[in-house]
Amino acid sequence: MATLKAVRGTRDLLPPETELWNRIEAIARRVFARYHFGEIRTPIFEDTGLFARGVGEETDIVSKEMYTWEDRARAQSEKSQSLTLRPENTAGVVRAYIEHKLGETGQLQKLYYIGPQFRRERPQKGRYRQFWQIGAEVIGPPSAGSESPLRDAEVLEMLATLLDELHIEGWTLELNSVGSSADRERYNNVLRTALVEVAPKMCADCQRRAVTNPLRVLDCKVHEDQPFIEALPKIGDALDQASKDHFAAVTAALDAAGVPYKLNPRLVRGLDYYTRTTFEFTHGGLGAQNALLGGGRYDGLSEAIGGPKAPGIGFAIGLDRLVLTLQGQPKIALDTICVETPCHAYIAPLGEGQNAAALALARELRKSDLRIEIGDGSFRLKKSFEIANKLAWRIVILGEDEAKSGILTVKDFLSGVQAKVPRAELSAYLQKPADGVST
Ligand code: HAM
């Protein structure tokens, strides 16, 4: 029988790598708390219409990459419904914002999420069909200041801080403004006209996009198309004064905060909801899929899915790509946020008769927050030492004599010191740093 494997584009995350993921998530949560963000958890699947209307029918994500199925009615009271595994989380957050009437609080909502997303893309390094995002959204009624360029700058400054605290070295913030929806419509028309002549010389995707979604032509990566794209009109020239002023205020605030950025007039992003500020943080170590994270402003998204006016800005970090980046960096940077933590002690029962006593001792020690692993009485002592040496700072020998006397033999692997420790003092003894390590 053929062995079953994880589905193409999905993968298992195993220890110790999961330890690194947990550390990254913990650092992100800590940084978000400092900026007054709270966590939101939305469902992993939603009504398909949410993404069609929110992300945009013409985007690659919606037209080609969604995992969609018809959820048949199971009872008369139910209707069948088209459902989709979320390809991204912004539309779900805005849906929740509308559903829970968060706008009525009159306050800015600062929400973050950590979770899997699903896109049926061609898998390659840094691109999976199930991948993880750490994202955040700032959304609210205009009266709460949700349109303010200060919010854009705050989000970008927070991201710079987060990447620095994660010891990600060598990131680049690429920044652009795609203007208001009126600006974009104007620009789309200019682009469509300009493309009539050049599109036939470009790749098949560009030829299609020239008609359906001209803005996406700017995102083409095909080498031969680049000279044509460079010669196209720039979106910055199509912005109205209000959009230009908004963008100038964002860059001025970034300058004041000392956050470096690079203007990239071709940065248009692959989702249709963006307005004004758009950005990506890229990293050279990632290869073709070099976007560590992406985001921007989406001032019309709430209305597009039936909600009140609720401008917003947010981002999503590709967690898989963040991990790849860290793993590609010099070890010293990685060690500062992730060292595989050994157990405080390995308990080696001498003989199977001591197994139950070992479990009881481990229970006692674990209650005082010590990391403990237990061996098995069927192991020879040599084998116990070999295992213990790999995963713990110390080994605790538990034989019949020790059980009777209540005095345990403890060996410290780093210093080689062997000590007799009364059971009542064992927990305090193990809490003390082993030679040269801090516990
Ligand atoms: P996005 O650019 O589609 O934006 O995705 C954000 C990030 O998710 C990417 O920069 C990348 O790091 C990661 N990512 C995307 N697709 C994959 C994949 N197949 N495999 C691995 N990583 C991937 C959004 O999703 C928007 N919702 C971001 C946003 C939030 N905009 C405003 N608020």
Side-chain angles (χ1 to χ4, degrees), residues 64-83:
K64 309 199 265 207
E65 296 168 0
M66 296 207 303
Y67 287 96
T68 297
W69 70 100
E70 197 60 26
D71 202 36
R72 276 176 295 131
R74 308 260 326 237
Q76 287 235 306
S77 56
E78 282 182 352
K79 281 201 198 117
S80 86
Q81 192 178 10
S82 174
L83 301 178

Side-chain angles (χ1 to χ4, degrees), residues 13 48 146 162 169 195 222 264 293 312 351 361 393 414 424 427:
L13 300 170
T48 305
S146 55
L162 176 57
E169 289 156 13
L195 281 166
V222 174
N264 176 358
L293 68 95
L361 179 61
W393 285 315
L414 269 179
S427 163

Side-chain angles (χ1 to χ4, degrees), residues 12 15-16 37-38 57 86 125 172 183 221 237 313 326 330 335-336 355 358 384 426:
D12 303 306
F37 279 77
E57 215 109 44
R86 62 182 187 198
K125 182 187 166 201
T172 305
D183 294 336
K221 302 279 186 306
D237 299 329
I313 177 157
L326 280 171
D335 280 350
T336 53
N355 273 355
S384 293
L426 186 59

Side-chain angles (χ1 to χ4, degrees), residues 88-109:
E88 62 99 56
N89 216 164
T90 309
V93 170
V94 177
R95 189 227 6 97
Y97 172 91
I98 299 166
E99 189 167 332
H100 301 283
K101 300 187 171 47
L102 299 183
E104 290 179 13
T105 62
Q107 287 175 7
L108 214 51
Q109 303 294 314

Side-chain angles (χ1 to χ4, degrees), residues 393-406:
W393 285 315
R394 294 169 166 125
I395 184 166
V396 177
I397 315 280
L398 183 60
E400 224 172 284
D401 289 350
E402 282 85 359
K404 267 197 214 127
S405 66

